[in-house]
Amino acid sequence: MNESYEMIWTAETEEDTVRLAEKLAELAVPGTVLALDGDLGAGKTRFSKAFAAGIGVPGVVNSPTFTIIKEYQGAQLPLYHMDVYRLSEQEADELGLDDYFFGEGVTIVEWASLIEALLPADRLQLYIAHLGGEARRITITGIGAPYAAWCQQLQAIDHR
Ligand SMILES: Nc1ncnc2c1ncn2[C@@H]1O[C@H](COP(=O)(O)OP(=O)(O)O)[C@@H](O)[C@H]1O
Ligand SMILES: [Mg+2]
């Protein structure tokens, strides 16, 4: 069983979600995988936009719902932004996602739990719960030693 660590990031405002994404963008390295879940409108794409800006992706990052995967070249790292909502696990398997997960860039997967069996063992999971207004409860689980360490670092930040 992989080491794992869970923490809660409470976002009272959209800016608090942006701060989390910016902090994670600082920690990101080639092969980083962020698995996002949460209902429609929770903020998965909003988080992704802030993360993309954080790694120096120029211009606008939009929801990849219809394109499934979009690639961006950030100043620091490439970004592979996926939305697997419309895919079956078998269709996702045929895309050969490991080329992204274990590639040179960072992968963000929206609706990641739909393809859980295909995700790498080590990853950072973020579940965004919509509490009403701008309030969100973001449950962050670091699976594998490096991501567990990230969680401990996040825990130490006073983000409010
Ligand atoms: N705390 C917050 N975190 C993220 N998004 C927020 C927050 N508060 C308000 N929003 C708004 O909620 C919406 C989230 O939409 P989006 O990111 O597309 O959701 P998803 O990708 O999860 O379906 C955006 O319009 C965003 O501006
Ligand atoms: Mg989205």
Side-chain angles (χ1 to χ4, degrees):
M1 187 56 190
N2 269 338
E3 179 184 348
S4 79
Y5 190 96
E6 183 177 297
M7 63 149 310
I8 308 281
W9 183 278
T10 305
E12 302 283 2
T13 65
E14 188 166 330
E15 193 51 38
D16 288 336
T17 300
V18 168
R19 261 192 283 279
L20 171 63
E22 289 172 349
K23 181 66 200 172
L24 290 172
E26 285 172 22
L27 295 171
V29 293
T32 289
V33 176
L34 306 181
L36 306 190
D37 283 287
D39 290 340
L40 201 65
K44 300 179 295 300
T45 299
R46 183 66 190 89
F47 170 92
S48 303
K49 286 174 191 275
F51 183 92
I55 61 165
V57 173
V60 180
V61 169
N62 287 314
S63 172
T65 307
F66 295 98
T67 45
I68 313 296
I69 303 173
K70 284 189 187 166
E71 293 189 44
Y72 301 90
Q73 188 56 54
Q76 279 81 45
L77 287 166
L79 173 66
Y80 315 124
H81 185 202
M82 307 180 185
D83 183 326
V84 299
Y85 187 70
R86 283 158 198 284
L87 287 185
S88 67
E89 209 161 61
Q90 192 190 328
E91 286 168 328
D93 200 12
E94 286 162 5
L95 292 176
L97 299 181
D98 280 357
D99 290 347
Y100 297 99
F101 297 146
F102 299 101
E104 293 301 307
V106 180
T107 307
I108 299 182
V109 188
E110 297 195 30
W111 300 99
S113 62
L114 296 177
I115 59 157
E116 186 165 10
L118 303 176
L119 298 175
D122 285 7
R123 59 194 187 252
L124 194 74
Q125 298 194 155
L126 298 100
Y127 179 81
I128 308 176
H130 194 161
L131 303 183
E134 292 189 24
R136 304 288 190 273
R137 184 180 57 244
I138 307 177
T139 305
I140 307 172
T141 311
I143 309 175
Y147 295 105
W150 287 13
C151 279
Q152 283 164 325
Q153 276 183 256
L154 291 173
Q155 187 95 71
I157 299 173
D158 179 9
H159 63 276
R160 306 267 286 282

